[in-house]
Amino acid sequence: FCVHWAVLPIERSMKQRGDFSLVIDRATWVCILSNSLFGVLGFTFFGSETSSVILNNLSSGPLLDGIRMCLVLDMLVSFPVMLSSSRELVENALLGPRVPREPAPAGSSAAGTTVGPDASEAFDLKDLVTRNAIRACLLGAAFGIAQLNDVGKICNLVGGVAQGVMAFIIPPALAIRGSQRWGSPSSAAGADDLQSSPPDDSAQQQYKWKTTMSNIFSVMIIIFGGVCVTATGAESLLH
C-alpha cells in the first residue's frame, strides 16, 4: 500500500514547497525501482515458497538480528509520519481545527498585575489533554492490530476494511451529503446562477426524482460496501 496519506504533511513541512512536484516524482521512481528490485530478488531466491513474513525466509543469525533492528529503527522514524495525517483528521473531526491563540503582552494580565514571560504564553491544558488522549487511542488501536503477528492478515484487514470504506462508503455518502447541501453539481459550481430564468415545475419534479433515485442507489452501494467490509474484517480476524 502506498503512503499517499503522508504526502500533504510532508509537503507542508518542506522548506521550499515549490519543489514538491519534483521531489514527489523522484521519490516515486525510487520507490518503484527499489520495490521492483526487491520483489525480483525475493522471487529469485525463494520462489513461490516466499512467506508473507519476509523475515521468516531468512535463517537465524547475526544477519537476521541486524535486519530486525533496522526494521525497528525504521518504524520508530516512519510511524509518526504515517500517523500524522490520520491523527490530524481525527482531531479536527472531533475537536475542530486548532486555532492559534495570540499570546498576551508580556508584563500584563487581565487583572492588571505584572506577570512573567512564561505566564504570557497561550496554553490550553484541557485541549492538550484531550488531543493526547485521542493520540493514545490511535496508538492503542495500531498496537492492537499489530498483535495479529501476521503481515498477510494485517494487509487483508487494513486493505480490505480501509480500501472498502474509501471505495464503497465514503463516495456515495459524500454524494448524498452534497445533494442535500448544494443540489446538482452545477449548483455547487455556481453554473445555475448564470441561468436567465428559473426552471419550471416539470423540470423541478424531474430533478427531485433523479436526486431521489440517485440517493437510493448511493444507499444501496453503502449497504453493499458495509457488508463487504464486515465480511472482509471478520475473515481476516477469524482465519
Side-chain angles (χ1 to χ4, degrees), residues 22-60:
L22 180 62
V23 171
I24 200 68
D25 289 342
R26 292 180 177 179
T28 301
W29 278 110
V30 169
C31 292
I32 291 175
L33 295 176
S34 59
N35 289 336
S36 300
L37 179 62
F38 183 82
V40 171
L41 292 177
F43 184 79
T44 301
F45 283 100
F46 304 105
S48 59
E49 298 180 356
T50 302
S51 173
S52 60
V53 181
I54 302 300
L55 296 180
N56 291 343
N57 299 296
L58 302 176
S59 58
S60 59

Side-chain angles (χ1 to χ4, degrees), residues 14-192:
M14 291 181 60
K15 185 176 181 180
Q16 297 179 353
R17 299 173 66 176
D19 297 335
F20 178 71
S21 297
L22 180 62
V23 171
I24 200 68
D25 289 342
R26 292 180 177 179
T28 301
W29 278 110
V30 169
C31 292
I32 291 175
L33 295 176
S34 59
N35 289 336
S36 300
L37 179 62
F38 183 82
V40 171
L41 292 177
F43 184 79
T44 301
F45 283 100
F46 304 105
S48 59
E49 298 180 356
T50 302
S51 173
S52 60
V53 181
I54 302 300
L55 296 180
N56 291 343
N57 299 296
L58 302 176
S59 58
S60 59
L63 176 61
L64 181 60
D65 295 337
I67 294 176
R68 285 176 174 171
M69 289 300 300
C70 291
L71 288 175
V72 171
L73 294 176
D74 173 73
M75 293 301 297
L76 289 176
V77 175
S78 60
F79 188 75
V81 179
M82 299 298 101
L83 191 63
S84 175
S85 58
S86 58
R87 172 195 60 79
E88 183 177 353
L89 289 173
V90 173
E91 289 181 3
N92 291 343
L94 297 178
L95 305 177
R98 174 179 290 179
V99 179
R101 292 187 174 184
E102 293 292 337
S108 63
S109 66
T113 58
T114 302
V115 296
D118 294 337
S120 64
E121 295 180 358
F123 181 73
D124 191 342
L125 180 60
K126 181 180 179 180
D127 181 75
L128 178 64
V129 172
T130 305
R131 292 182 184 276
N132 284 335
I134 295 174
R135 296 165 188 174
C137 292
L138 293 175
L139 288 174
F143 180 78
I145 295 176
Q147 300 311 303
L148 294 176
N149 198 25
D150 190 331
V151 176
K153 289 184 178 180
I154 293 176
C155 290
N156 290 335
L157 179 61
V158 176
V161 174
Q163 301 294 339
V165 170
M166 289 190 294
F168 295 105
I169 296 179
I170 293 180
L174 290 176
I176 295 175
R177 179 60 177 171
S179 65
Q180 295 174 349
R181 184 170 184 177
W182 295 297
S184 64
S186 58
S187 298
D192 289 349

Side-chain angles (χ1 to χ4, degrees), residues 204-218:
Q204 290 182 357
Q205 292 295 330
Q206 185 178 8
Y207 168 73
K208 290 181 180 180
W209 182 82
K210 290 182 178 180
T211 302
T212 302
M213 297 304 297
S214 176
N215 290 341
I216 293 175
F217 183 69
S218 298

